[in-house]
Amino acid sequence: EERLLKKVRRKIRNKQSAQDSRRRKKEYLDGLESRAAACSALNQELRKKVQELEKSNGSLLRQLQALIKETSTKPAQTGTCVLV
């Protein structure tokens, strides 16, 4: 009878341990999923920022090229400085 009681207690402990293990695993996976979602959102935000910066960079580059072209086609002007 004592052997049977030990066996039942062990089964109960094993069942509880299995439930705890499944609960911990679920919590861990939920945490990973939320971290993955946060990283995905941040990644999307950063990709959008990169696109904006690349667009801005292209615009600034075109402006710079236009200024260089404008200054290179003008003849050099000589100025007179008068000291009084």
Side-chain angles (χ1 to χ4, degrees):
E1 188 174 305
E2 189 174 317
R3 195 182 287 170
L4 183 62
L5 187 61
K6 281 184 178 182
K7 190 175 184 180
V8 169
R9 285 182 181 155
R10 186 171 13 105
K11 282 187 177 185
I12 291 171
R13 281 195 314 266
N14 285 346
K15 185 176 181 180
Q16 183 65 41
S17 179
Q19 287 175 342
D20 290 343
S21 177
R22 286 190 294 272
R23 180 187 49 81
R24 284 192 308 269
K25 183 178 180 181
K26 185 178 183 329
E27 288 174 357
Y28 175 73
L29 288 176
D30 289 344
L32 284 180
E33 287 173 352
S34 69
R35 282 179 56 199
C39 288
S40 185
L42 178 61
N43 191 21
Q44 188 68 23
E45 185 180 323
L46 291 174
R47 285 179 188 270
K48 188 175 179 182
K49 184 71 173 176
V50 165
Q51 284 181 338
E52 290 172 4
L53 290 172
E54 285 177 343
K55 188 176 180 181
S56 176
N57 190 30
S59 174
L60 290 172
L61 186 59
R62 283 189 297 277
Q63 288 177 18
L64 178 62
Q65 289 171 343
L67 284 172
I68 290 172
K69 186 177 180 182
E70 183 181 317
T71 56
S72 66
T73 58
K74 287 185 179 179
Q77 295 178 356
T78 58
T80 309
C81 187
V82 177
L83 290 175
V84 177

